[in-house]
Amino acid sequence: MPVAGKTTTAAAEDAPAADPHRDWTLHERVEELRMIRDEAYEGPDPAATERQHAKGKLTARERIALLLDEGSFTEVETLRRHRASGFGLESKKPYTDGVITGWGTVHGRTVFVYAHDFRIFGGALGEAHATKIHKIMDMAISAGAPLVSLNDGAGARIQEGVSALAGYGGIFQRNTKASGVIPQISVMLGPCAGGAAYSPALTDFVFMVRETSQMFITGPDVVRAVTGEEITQNGLGGADVHSATSGVSHFAYDDEETCLEEVRYLLSLLPQNNRELPPSAPSADPADRSTDSLLDLVPDDPGRSYDIRAVIEEIVDDGEYFEVHPAWATNIVCALSRIDGGVVGIVANQPASYAGVLDIESSEKAARFVQFCDAFNIPLVTLVDVPGFLPGVDQEHNGIIRRGAKLLYAYCNATVPRISLVLRKAYGGAYIVMDSRSIGADLALAWPSNEIAVMGAEGAANVIFRREINASDDPEAVRQQKIKEYKAELMHPYYAAERGLVDDVIDPRETRRILARSLAMLREKHADLPSRKHGNPPQ
């Protein structure tokens, strides 16, 4: 029995059936459909699957199977083929056109997905390929469900010319339309070069796999030709480069299986869209559990280092949290977690890295995270232990003023529940920026170890009492005395609370209980922004 579409040459496709006048039964048509689908699922070249596996990479369908709940995937436009001709394309018209699109569930909730199939045209994007992606993106926006892209493509399909480039434009437009409406996650599982790299950059989170995924605007060959620099693909745009140096990638993993499992975990913490609250999950960890160990985790000496992650583990449910950008801008920690079953976004200075100062990269990292949480109704808990902004010519010349202001803008613009907690030092403008009461925190709390001031006592004494110290017979003794006086007068633990800048000074052992109660109180918070088209945040 002839099977429509079984062969891929134009002559074969145009060949008449053995008996074109015979009426086919529905049973025969169903069998024909089964064979066509088998071809679409297997791909046009069995050897291509072997080559994909030989590179340590899964096929597009294998990846979708790992991402979605078993048996939940519904495919869209399986039988789509391109209409292009020239350069040999008229004789190569495989089903799917190199991208698999559809929807399924993750932990029982709907998720839309598209996956480049590198076995077909190297996953390159053509007109039909792009149209399929446009359709699934539109469906995700309409249905109000997250969109995950599994990227493994060679860029625009050169044989289709400008039509392929226009396809990218449609993707970028939809990425922007969906921003802040549905969660968008890009998973990089192969090369991504040129303009194709901008779609992941427009999404909320980027995952990469070491050794097999790369992202760059101009590849090593172009870099070599223009600048003379020699560099490998991974050295230019590999997972570790983008997760630790450029900040393009939020997460990097050693293998695809782990990467896709972590995507599933992230989705379990996110709402379906901006009209919903994030999903709650019951926890056996009591909301009123005492956090006694915090008394010893944080040193009394404000100059001593510690790992803020240990504090986060003690506060959140079962000590579990999902850190965003763990390898980039390490002087600040951004994480998603749960307190009393409810999802929270945590922003925390990290004294173990550069003493927890704010700089260009940490400000931008935290600003984007705050904006994401605000867009998707995730309450914010800010843990403050910050000595100030990082001084230096490099910081000033590279725009710490405008780029640090991004974090300030993000907090001031956020309408979700916001709780700040000062653990130890909070000096200068960095204190204000880290969600202080004066920029709109709903609750501002502090431990009795807090030091909230314009600057540290040492620096303040040197400025205020400079002449008196210099004129003294024993400058060091006078300096130490003035430091003590400044601390006693302006930096005692209750100075800010007495002036209403801190709502309460709390026992560290009650931190989890107070945060849980406060978040419960703020759960129904509603705040409206002024009527406007949109703000103009600092760039």
Side-chain angles (χ1 to χ4, degrees):
M1 182 185 73
V3 180
K6 185 62 182 176
T7 56
T8 57
T9 65
E13 288 173 2
D14 295 335
D19 185 359
H21 302 293
R22 181 174 68 86
D23 292 330
W24 287 29
T25 68
L26 183 57
H27 287 280
E28 290 174 324
R29 287 297 188 188
V30 168
E31 178 61 17
E32 177 190 38
L33 174 62
R34 183 192 65 78
M35 296 177 69
I36 291 174
R37 287 192 179 278
D38 285 347
E39 179 185 350
Y41 296 155
E42 293 169 5
D45 181 8
T49 300
E50 297 178 9
R51 289 193 295 269
Q52 185 83 343
H53 288 162
K55 296 176 184 175
K57 297 163 66 175
L58 301 175
T59 66
R61 294 187 185 279
E62 290 169 340
R63 291 163 175 166
I64 291 173
L66 286 174
L67 173 67
L68 301 177
D69 297 338
E70 185 176 358
S72 69
F73 182 56
T74 298
E75 190 169 350
V76 176
E77 293 198 352
T78 310
L79 307 184
R80 187 66 178 261
R81 292 164 135 176
H82 71 77
R83 301 177 295 178
S85 60
F87 305 101
L89 286 179
E90 62 275 3
S91 63
K92 296 178 181 178
K93 294 188 175 182
Y95 294 115
T96 75
D97 200 46
V99 65
I100 299 168
T101 58
W103 75 88
T105 60
V106 173
H107 303 298
R109 299 190 302 156
T110 299
V111 172
F112 288 81
V113 61
Y114 68 85
H116 299 136
D117 191 342
F118 196 83
R119 302 173 305 165
I120 298 175
F121 298 127
L125 181 139
E127 182 183 21
H129 181 123
T131 303
K132 289 181 64 175
I133 294 175
H134 296 168
K135 175 182 284 189
I136 210 66
M137 294 179 79
D138 290 339
M139 291 176 68
I141 295 169
S142 296
L147 174 70
V148 179
S149 63
L150 305 180
N151 298 273
D152 186 8
R157 195 174 300 169
I158 299 172
Q159 300 94 318
E160 295 195 31
V162 72
S163 296
L165 291 177
Y168 276 122
I171 293 173
F172 302 157
Q173 182 189 47
R174 288 165 174 83
N175 284 138
T176 304
K177 180 181 178 182
S179 181
V181 178
I182 57 172
Q184 299 180 84
I185 299 174
S186 298
V187 188
M188 314 310 297
L189 301 166
C192 184
Y198 281 116
S199 177
L202 289 169
T203 61
D204 299 306
F205 297 102
V206 177
F207 288 72
M208 294 187 74
V209 176
R210 294 183 177 93
E211 303 302 324
T212 58
S213 63
Q214 302 88 28
M215 297 174 67
F216 35 70
I217 299 300
T218 56
D221 293 340
V222 177
V223 170
R224 185 185 307 111
V226 174
T227 70
E229 296 173 284
E230 294 284 346
I231 193 166
T232 65
Q233 286 195 345
N234 281 320
L236 182 63
D240 288 324
V241 168
H242 284 313
S243 63
T245 303
S246 72
V248 170
S249 173
H250 299 78
F251 312 98
Y253 299 97
D254 291 331
D255 57 79
E256 294 188 19
E257 292 84 356
T258 303
C259 179
L260 292 170
E261 183 59 36
E262 292 298 278
V263 174
R264 287 176 56 87
Y265 180 60
L266 174 58
L267 286 166
S268 75
L269 296 168
L270 305 181
Q272 291 291 89
N273 54 64
N274 64 344
R275 300 183 302 277
E276 296 184 4
L277 294 175
S280 60
S283 173
D285 192 355
D288 59 355
R289 168 174 54 80
S290 180
T291 50
D292 294 18
S293 66
L294 293 180
L295 293 176
D296 300 313
L297 282 175
V298 180
D300 296 326
D301 181 358
R304 286 184 57 195
S305 174
Y306 66 95
D307 192 339
I308 194 66
R309 294 182 182 93
V311 176
I312 295 172
E313 288 176 5
E314 183 66 16
I315 292 173
V316 302
D317 291 355
D318 305 306
E320 295 183 358
Y321 63 94
F322 192 63
E323 187 174 354
V324 177
H325 271 315
W328 182 62
T330 54
N331 42 327
I332 202 161
V333 172
C334 299
L336 292 168
S337 189
R338 284 190 168 91
I339 295 178
D340 194 22
V343 176
V344 295
I346 297 174
V347 179
N349 304 114
Q350 173 57 293
S353 177
Y354 301 104
V357 297
L358 285 177
D359 60 3
I360 287 172
E361 291 186 346
S362 62
S363 297
E364 292 188 331
K365 168 181 170 178
R368 186 93 196 286
F369 182 74
V370 168
Q371 288 173 335
F372 174 82
C373 290
D374 185 51
F376 291 103
N377 309 310
I378 299 173
L380 288 161
V381 173
T382 304
L383 305 179
V384 185
D385 191 348
V386 61
F389 281 94
L390 180 66
V393 174
D394 181 67
Q395 288 287 306
E396 297 294 345
H397 286 188
N398 284 290
I400 183 61
I401 295 174
R402 63 178 175 83
R403 296 164 79 176
K406 292 181 181 182
L407 180 55
L408 182 61
Y409 187 98
Y411 269 127
C412 290
N413 203 47
T415 60
V416 292
R418 292 157 49 190
I419 302 173
S420 67
L421 172 61
V422 179
L423 309 185
R424 292 195 309 185
K425 55 190 176 296
Y427 298 156
Y431 153 64
I432 299 298
V433 169
M434 289 297 293
D435 204 19
S436 63
R437 183 62 183 270
S438 59
I439 65 168
D442 296 295
L443 283 173
L445 307 172
W447 285 356
S449 52
N450 80 81
E451 292 185 357
I452 302 174
V454 174
M455 63 176 65
E458 291 81 359
N462 289 337
V463 172
I464 298 172
F465 306 107
R466 180 177 64 253
R467 292 181 180 178
E468 186 175 346
I469 292 171
N470 291 338
S472 171
D473 293 335
D474 188 350
E476 182 57 27
V478 173
R479 192 175 76 87
Q480 292 299 325
Q481 178 61 33
K482 295 303 181 183
I483 289 172
K484 291 180 181 179
E485 290 179 9
Y486 186 85
K487 283 186 175 180
E489 183 67 25
L490 296 176
M491 292 181 65
H492 63 78
Y494 311 105
Y495 184 85
E498 290 171 358
R499 285 150 183 80
L501 299 175
V502 167
D503 291 297
D504 199 8
V505 178
I506 66 172
D507 185 334
R509 294 171 294 184
E510 297 184 347
T511 300
R512 175 174 163 83
R513 179 182 66 82
I514 291 172
L515 287 177
R517 286 189 175 185
S518 300
L519 289 166
M521 178 273 293
L522 290 166
R523 186 172 294 124
E524 301 301 323
K525 174 188 174 183
H526 178 75
D528 290 320
L529 290 171
S531 178
R532 59 184 175 185
K533 188 174 182 180
H534 56 73
N536 186 24
Q539 297 299 318

